[in-house]
Amino acid sequence: NAGVTQTPKFRVLKTGQSMTLLCAQDMNHEYMYWYRQDPGMGLRLIHYSVGEGTTAKGEVPDGYNVSRLKKQNFLLGLESAAPSQTSVYFCASSYLDENEQFFGPGTRLTVL
Amino acid sequence: LAKTTQPISMDSYEGQEVNITCSHNNIATNDYITWYQQFPSQGPRFIIQGYKTKVTNEVASLFIPADRKSSTLSLPRVSLSDTAVYYCLVGALAAGNKLTFGGGTRVLVKP
């Protein structure tokens, strides 16, 4: 099993450009999450999903959109990137809310 | 929204026990407490989870007092490979609460 994978691993964008980050899990987990991690800070929840076709806002959702069209995939979109969105993005999944989360390797995004 | 705070860093030596305390004064009734370990350039990895009292697994123990306003991760007999950042996570999405990570504690294990 690959666990949780993220695509791409690195990306550099110019202000105003758009992009989509892909997260895939092969563990048949119901819950999926997108976090961002900034230097010296913990992880902050952007959006999450409790099952196929569902999405919900986390702590810092502004400037991001998500979709969960298939159970195994969770997409994070930036419609108009801003320098403040420079960060490392982690995707995670869990079977249920109270179960341990399995994290992907992260995507390092730089917005110039 | 439970605000979680942790010490920024702590040093230890091989073979010693390391205790990291996370403060979460506003923890909600249904919130659970989870600890993760993170190495550079990797995603966090689950260590242990609890709701109240004490939980122990093969790598760590988690102590939660009756008021649940704090929790302590205990790592017995650390080795150099335990040098990492440790995060506590408090919350319960299914209960309508949020998930809040602490800022992380950087643990440096010295020889």
Side-chain angles (χ1 to χ4, degrees):
Chain A
N1 289 346
V4 179
T5 59
Q6 294 184 229
T7 308
K9 290 184 171 53
F10 303 93
R11 185 72 184 269
V12 178
L13 290 178
K14 294 182 180 180
T15 297
Q17 288 185 319
S18 63
M19 78 163 295
T20 300
L21 282 67
L22 171 64
C23 176
Q25 53 96 4
D26 61 2
M27 296 172 283
N28 200 36
H29 285 168
E30 293 295 334
Y31 281 67
M32 296 189 74
Y33 316 79
W34 275 108
Y35 295 92
R36 61 176 289 172
Q37 184 174 39
D38 301 298
M41 300 182 68
L43 289 85
R44 291 183 291 170
L45 184 63
I46 303 172
H47 286 281
Y48 64 97
S49 168
V50 302
E52 181 178 314
T54 74
T55 62
K57 294 180 179 180
E59 181 184 353
V60 288
D62 294 343
Y64 305 95
N65 56 78
V66 289
S67 63
R68 182 108 180 259
L69 299 179
K70 294 182 178 180
K71 186 176 184 178
Q72 63 268 32
N73 295 337
F74 195 29
L75 279 64
L76 177 70
L78 287 73
E79 291 186 350
S80 180
S84 61
Q85 294 178 305
T86 293
S87 187
V88 179
Y89 292 86
F90 287 100
C91 175
S93 71
S94 63
Y95 183 62
L96 292 174
D97 177 31
E98 64 270 23
N99 297 123
E100 68 176 279
Q101 294 182 33
F102 292 82
F103 283 81
T107 295
R108 185 173 297 275
L109 175 66
T110 301
V111 183
L112 302 175
Chain B
L1 181 63
K3 179 176 173 58
T4 57
T5 57
Q6 310 174 225
I8 293 175
S9 65
M10 56 176 52
D11 292 353
S12 183
Y13 291 91
E14 282 190 292
Q16 290 190 333
E17 179 182 78
V18 171
N19 295 305
I20 309 169
T21 296
C22 180
S23 173
H24 28 80
N25 290 325
N26 296 325
I27 190 168
T29 302
N30 296 314
D31 286 349
Y32 47 89
I33 301 159
T34 313
W35 284 82
Y36 289 86
Q37 176 192 55
Q38 186 179 30
F39 297 111
S41 301
Q42 294 185 22
R45 185 175 65 178
F46 173 87
I47 300 174
I48 198 167
Q49 183 184 76
Y51 181 77
K52 60 180 179 179
T53 64
K54 177 183 175 182
V55 180
T56 298
N57 62 22
E58 62 275 10
V59 298
S61 294
L62 177 59
F63 299 92
I64 306 171
D67 65 7
R68 303 204 324 125
K69 292 185 176 182
S70 67
S71 58
T72 299
L73 172 72
S74 180
L75 305 172
R77 298 178 299 281
V78 294
S79 64
L80 296 178
S81 63
D82 292 316
T83 292
V85 180
Y86 294 82
Y87 293 95
C88 63
L89 170 64
V90 177
L93 293 174
N97 303 331
K98 299 296 184 182
L99 290 181
T100 305
F101 271 93
T105 299
R106 187 174 303 276
V107 173
L108 173 62
V109 180
K110 303 175 182 178

